[in-house]
């Protein structure tokens, strides 16, 4: 038997967001949580590749993957994007998606921007979130973060990066890139900091980051684990940059599987 994949769509403020439901071969218990995947700043459903399928197969839990506004096959962004966009995603869009999907209890797995959204959502809706895994999440802006974005901006101008992203985002590509690059390199966004939300998170956290992350230092992991109101387990992975679920897939999958099994 194989994982059942069901395409769906969600609505938020009249906009359409694609989703993909993954159900394990064996039906889980009626009260089992759903694993919800939150992609990175330039991510999409397809850019997760088969990692969500692997988590479903390993844990036996259902999962939901969806695309935020301006990503993949979602409706386009309107520029300029607000500097509070991560709060909007965590406190407005994600609750709407969970409600429309009929998900009462969730385990969040968020990468980069998705990890920050997971933390903000867990702080705002502690009754709904059983646990959360962050992969390369940010809770403040570092010099290395801005430098990493500037390097990506250079790659946008001088390499085939636009074409590579267009394979996943189509006509959304340029606006999505601009929203990301212009936000994270702006002087107005430099003071962004969500450490004040961390004490309100009472669910268990697994905080994963590559030791060679080009967008962050281990200070991000330290801040999350130090500030969280509930138990938080750090995992700094050697020989790994900003894509732990790709660059050290087996280690990340094993860690997530063990963590989730403790919850259920």
């Amino acid at each position: 038997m194989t994982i059942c994949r069901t395409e769906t769509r969600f609505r938020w403020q009249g906009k359409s967001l694609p989703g993909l439901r993954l159900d394990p071969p064996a039906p889980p218990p009626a009260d089992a949580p759903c694993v919800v995947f939150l992609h990175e700043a330039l991510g999409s459903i397809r850019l997760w590749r088969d990692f969500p399928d692997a988590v479903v197969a390993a844990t036996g839990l259902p999962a939901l993957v969806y695309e935020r506004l301006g990503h993949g096959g979602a409706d386009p962004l309107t520029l300029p994007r607000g500097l509070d966009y991560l709060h909007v995603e965590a406190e407005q869009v994600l609750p709407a998606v969970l409600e429309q999907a009929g998900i009462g209890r969730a385990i969040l797995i968020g990468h980069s921007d998705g990890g920050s959204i997971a933390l903000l959502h867990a702080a705002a809706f502690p009754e709904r979130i059983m646990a959360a895994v962050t992969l390369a999440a940010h809770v403040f802006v570092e010099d290395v973060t801005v430098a990493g974005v500037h390097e990506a901006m250079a790659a946008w101008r001088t390499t085939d990066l636009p074409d590579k992203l267009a394979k996943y985002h189509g006509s959304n590509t340029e606006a999505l890139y601009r929203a990301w690059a212009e936000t994270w390199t702006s002087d107005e966004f430099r003071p962004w900091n969500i450490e004040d939300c961390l004490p309100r998170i009472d669910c268990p956290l697994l905080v994963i980051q590559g030791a060679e992350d080009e967008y962050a230092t281990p200070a991000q992991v330290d801040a999350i684990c130090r500030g969280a109101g509930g138990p938080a387990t750090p995992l700094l992975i050697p020989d790994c940059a900003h894509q732990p679920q790709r660059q050290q897939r087996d280690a990340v999958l094993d860690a997530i599987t063990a963590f989730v099994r403790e919850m259920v």
Side-chain angles (χ1 to χ4, degrees):
M1 297 178 68
T2 58
I3 292 170
C4 178
R5 301 166 65 86
T6 306
E7 294 183 359
T8 185
R9 295 193 80 88
F10 304 104
R11 304 290 296 180
W12 182 72
Q13 292 190 350
K15 306 285 187 167
S16 178
L17 310 175
L20 179 64
R21 172 84 182 204
L22 304 174
D23 287 294
D31 61 347
C34 183
V35 181
V36 179
F37 287 84
L38 306 168
H39 60 67
E40 62 180 307
L42 299 177
S44 68
I45 292 173
R46 288 197 296 141
L47 277 166
W48 278 109
R49 301 180 183 177
D50 66 344
F51 190 73
D53 301 74
V55 172
V56 170
T59 63
L61 295 177
L64 175 69
V65 194
Y66 76 97
E67 289 172 340
R68 300 192 294 274
L69 195 64
H71 296 254
D75 282 352
L77 281 169
T78 299
L79 296 179
R81 183 169 63 180
L83 298 180
D84 62 345
Y85 78 101
L86 291 168
H87 285 80
V88 171
E89 292 290 347
E91 297 168 8
Q92 299 180 35
V93 185
L94 180 53
V97 168
L98 295 179
E99 181 178 357
Q100 291 171 49
I103 297 172
R105 290 199 308 160
I107 295 175
L108 304 178
I109 298 180
H111 176 222
S112 195
D113 268 18
S116 303
I117 292 167
L119 294 171
L120 287 165
H121 184 84
F125 302 95
E127 72 286 350
R128 180 181 290 160
I129 304 305
M130 177 180 288
V133 179
T134 64
L135 302 160
H138 288 90
V139 291
F140 50 85
V141 182
E142 297 182 272
D143 291 342
V144 68
T145 313
V146 178
V149 177
H150 276 295
E151 288 186 14
M153 292 168 71
W156 174 270
R157 295 189 301 268
T158 61
T159 72
D160 62 348
L161 178 59
D163 292 334
K164 288 180 177 179
L165 288 176
K167 293 177 182 179
Y168 300 97
H169 302 294
S171 60
N172 283 328
T173 304
E174 184 170 356
L176 178 62
Y177 159 78
R178 283 185 53 199
W180 171 67
E182 291 172 5
T183 297
W184 282 87
T185 59
S186 70
D187 292 339
E188 292 79 11
F189 196 70
R190 195 64 169 81
W192 177 84
N193 187 306
I194 61 170
E195 289 178 277
D196 62 345
C197 87
L198 297 174
R200 301 197 299 275
I201 301 174
D202 57 15
C203 69
L205 299 177
L206 175 59
V207 185
I208 300 174
Q209 184 172 301
E212 284 79 46
D213 193 323
E214 63 269 39
Y215 295 103
T217 72
Q220 302 284 345
V221 174
D222 294 342
I224 296 169
C225 292
R226 182 177 62 248
T233 302
L235 179 57
L236 195 65
I237 302 180
D239 300 318
C240 181
H242 194 61
Q243 301 281 343
Q245 71 277 14
R246 295 185 198 171
Q247 295 156 341
Q248 293 291 347
R249 174 191 166 96
D250 290 346
V252 171
L253 181 59
D254 288 348
I256 290 176
T257 302
F259 176 71
V260 168
R261 285 177 176 169
E262 288 183 5
M263 302 301 110
V264 299

